[in-house]
Amino acid sequence: MNTSSSLPLMHRIRQRFEQPKLDDPEAVVVDQLQRLNLAGHVKPGQTVALTVGSRGIRNIHNIARGVVTHLKSLGLKPYIVPAMGTHGGATAEGQREVIEGYGVTEQYVGCEIRSSMDTVIVEQTKQGIPVHFDRNAYEADHVIVMGRVKPHTGFVGEIESGLHKMMLIGLGKRNGAEVYHKAIKDFSFMEIIRAVADVVIRRCRVLAGVAIVENALDETALIEAVRPEDFFEREQVLLRQAQEWLPKFPLTELDLVIVDRIGKEISGTGMDTNIVGRKFNDHAGTDKDLCRVRRIYVRGISEGTHGNATGIGLAEFTNRRTVDAIDWHATYVNCVTAGHPTAAMIPVIYDNDKSAITAALGTLGLVEPPNAKVIRLLDTLHMEDLEVSTACIPHIKERNDIDILTGPREFEFDSAGNIGAF
């Protein structure tokens, strides 16, 4: 190992967040569905399509199994529909692989998986937008929309990411994702959401919703079964709760953030823009963001993203090994379909961590590298343990929700100029 005295000294810290957690999510979802008395709205022998999306939702396999178990207890015939726009390379096989990677297999959940990119156009909205809907889901007698409610990485409103987005992008598949992301150029996000959701609920036999909210540690904190007519009201309430539980950096002004990995199972933009402060501008923190970060260095992509490096374009710096691991087809399909091509743009590339970090710190103007406010994290789903530079310590040392565990220490680089695993 070799060190560099021209870089900031780093400390290991641990943040303590509010941590509500469900001990048995599978049992909770069964109890929630029982409260809706679905038996009064179905007939034994009918089919039910259950959505499972591409986000890395904790316990999604357990929750899906709980839904399937309850539906079977009513004499229904459930099956899983992978509900995602262009993820999984925008192929039926790739989307099935994505959810199976989360443990949602036919053997585990106890029902068939029907994966297809085919959609039917159900109707047009009053704005003239064609409403696409997964063909397998459309052929079911009933549909249950399941998804995580949380702040969206790009859109802002009373509804952001959750059941409504699942009805639009998830069940719209690639065809719907392309149409709705084009429509956003002419209509507001809320106009599109309300219009498309109205058609889906009215025409596609939506039986119920299963809304999931996670705590700051990416753990299942809340599950609520929702009647279709209550989707809009309840999702607003759940979004406010999700915003309260969203993890945050301990400082609001940062010079450099080092992200060890990005990935689609981590965030729709690889790293959560709500956390790293790039929700409103790809390369600058704004007054609307929770924090303002001057530079971002991405060190790698996750195994679970299957080469999809959406969000790499939000960083200013990266390294050669990250770029070599990218599946450009999957990345381009995702970013172009989403109307966000800049999310696939390539940052400045360096051969190793030492070169990249040194270069990034050299772009801060009058801030000398040893005095820079730097934070390193594994990814934006894991915000409890962080590494922070010495310049951050005066701003956090008196806080009772943060423990300073180790440090100060210098960056340690191996013979190739790279730092170790987080």
Side-chain angles (χ1 to χ4, degrees):
M1 288 283 183
N2 62 81
T3 60
S4 176
S5 58
S6 62
L7 300 181
L9 298 178
M10 301 298 287
H11 307 249
R12 189 88 169 194
I13 69 167
R14 177 163 296 159
Q15 300 191 96
R16 291 192 299 277
F17 301 107
E18 186 179 357
Q19 299 179 31
K21 178 183 175 181
L22 299 179
D23 294 328
D24 191 346
E26 189 171 339
V28 171
V29 74
V30 170
D31 177 68
Q32 282 287 311
L33 288 169
Q34 286 174 341
R35 297 183 185 192
L36 295 188
N37 188 27
L38 299 181
H41 302 273
V42 299
K43 296 179 181 178
Q46 289 184 322
T47 55
V48 184
L50 170 65
T51 68
V52 174
S54 57
R55 300 293 185 255
I57 301 173
R58 182 73 67 90
N59 299 312
I60 190 62
H61 58 313
N62 302 119
I63 299 169
R65 186 168 68 174
V67 176
V68 169
T69 298
H70 180 67
L71 295 176
K72 284 184 172 181
S73 75
L74 301 178
L76 300 171
K77 297 178 180 179
Y79 57 86
I80 300 289
V81 171
M84 57 195 87
T86 58
H87 307 166
T91 67
E93 297 77 13
Q95 295 199 347
R96 181 186 181 113
E97 181 182 339
V98 168
I99 67 169
E100 287 180 338
Y102 300 146
V104 183
T105 64
E106 292 184 346
Q107 182 178 7
Y108 185 82
V109 299
C111 73
E112 183 183 356
I113 296 173
R114 299 184 187 178
S115 183
S116 171
M117 298 305 296
D118 292 340
T119 60
V120 298
I121 297 178
V122 179
E123 190 178 292
Q124 285 196 346
T125 70
K126 63 182 180 181
Q127 297 94 346
I129 304 169
V131 176
H132 286 267
F133 200 76
D134 179 278
R135 182 174 295 277
N136 285 324
Y138 191 72
E139 292 173 351
D141 295 307
H142 304 281
V143 177
I144 289 184
V145 181
M146 179 168 65
R148 178 176 58 195
V149 177
K150 66 175 297 185
H152 195 278
T153 55
F155 301 128
V156 180
E158 297 172 297
I159 300 291
E160 296 191 15
S161 186
L163 301 181
H164 282 75
K165 187 187 174 191
M166 184 63 76
M167 288 190 287
L168 274 71
I169 307 299
L171 285 165
K173 309 296 283 192
R174 179 176 184 173
N175 293 331
E178 288 180 336
V179 169
Y180 306 139
H181 283 108
K182 289 178 180 178
I184 200 69
K185 308 299 181 184
D186 299 305
F187 303 99
S188 73
F189 182 53
M190 287 304 298
E191 283 181 295
I192 298 170
I193 275 186
R194 295 304 300 269
V196 175
D198 175 68
V199 172
V200 170
I201 291 173
R202 178 166 44 84
R203 292 290 306 277
C204 299
R205 301 170 296 283
V206 176
L207 180 63
V210 175
I212 303 161
V213 183
E214 294 181 335
N215 66 22
L217 302 185
D218 183 35
E219 298 168 329
T220 311
L222 185 156
I223 298 174
E224 182 176 323
V226 187
R227 299 184 190 281
E229 60 270 24
D230 296 331
F231 276 16
F232 188 73
E233 177 186 353
R234 290 307 304 159
E235 192 167 337
Q236 291 180 73
V237 174
L238 294 173
L239 175 60
R240 289 194 291 271
Q241 180 62 77
Q243 289 168 332
E244 290 183 16
W245 288 337
L246 186 73
K248 301 174 181 65
F249 286 133
L251 278 75
T252 58
E253 301 283 345
L254 293 167
D255 296 309
L256 172 64
V257 168
I258 302 170
V259 185
D260 272 32
R261 64 184 185 186
I262 63 173
K264 289 298 295 186
E265 83 284 16
I266 295 167
S267 173
T269 47
M271 49 186 163
D272 193 330
T273 58
N274 295 283
I275 292 172
V276 299
R278 296 291 168 87
K279 185 166 183 172
F280 301 90
N281 184 312
D282 280 359
H283 289 289
T286 72
D287 291 340
K288 298 178 183 178
D289 286 299
L290 295 176
C291 70
R292 286 161 293 284
V293 176
R294 299 178 71 180
R295 297 286 185 262
I296 297 177
Y297 168 44
V298 169
R299 298 186 61 240
I301 62 175
S302 68
E303 182 178 344
T305 201
H306 303 286
N308 187 334
T310 294
I312 189 72
L314 305 183
E316 287 74 41
F317 295 88
T318 190
N319 52 47
R320 178 62 58 187
R321 66 180 180 275
T322 298
V323 174
D324 289 345
I326 296 175
D327 180 334
W328 290 111
H329 172 73
T331 303
Y332 289 163
V333 166
N334 194 170
C335 295
V336 171
T337 301
H340 192 188
T342 54
M345 294 177 72
I346 304 303
V348 178
I349 305 169
Y350 282 87
D351 287 335
N352 56 43
D353 292 329
K354 185 174 184 179
S355 298
I357 293 170
T358 301
L361 292 172
T363 67
L364 300 177
L366 296 177
V367 178
E368 293 296 328
N371 300 325
K373 295 184 178 69
V374 180
I375 287 185
R376 180 189 175 196
L377 65 154
L378 175 62
D379 57 53
T380 55
L381 280 182
H382 300 88
M383 296 284 292
E384 186 179 27
D385 287 353
L386 303 171
E387 291 182 2
V388 305
S389 63
T390 296
C392 299
I393 296 299
H395 301 274
I396 65 175
K397 64 181 181 180
E398 301 301 328
R399 288 178 51 170
N400 58 17
D401 60 339
I402 295 177
D403 296 322
I404 301 173
L405 304 179
T406 62
R409 66 172 180 79
E410 294 184 336
F411 277 97
E412 295 182 344
F413 300 97
D414 62 20
S415 58
N418 293 316
I419 52 182
F422 189 84

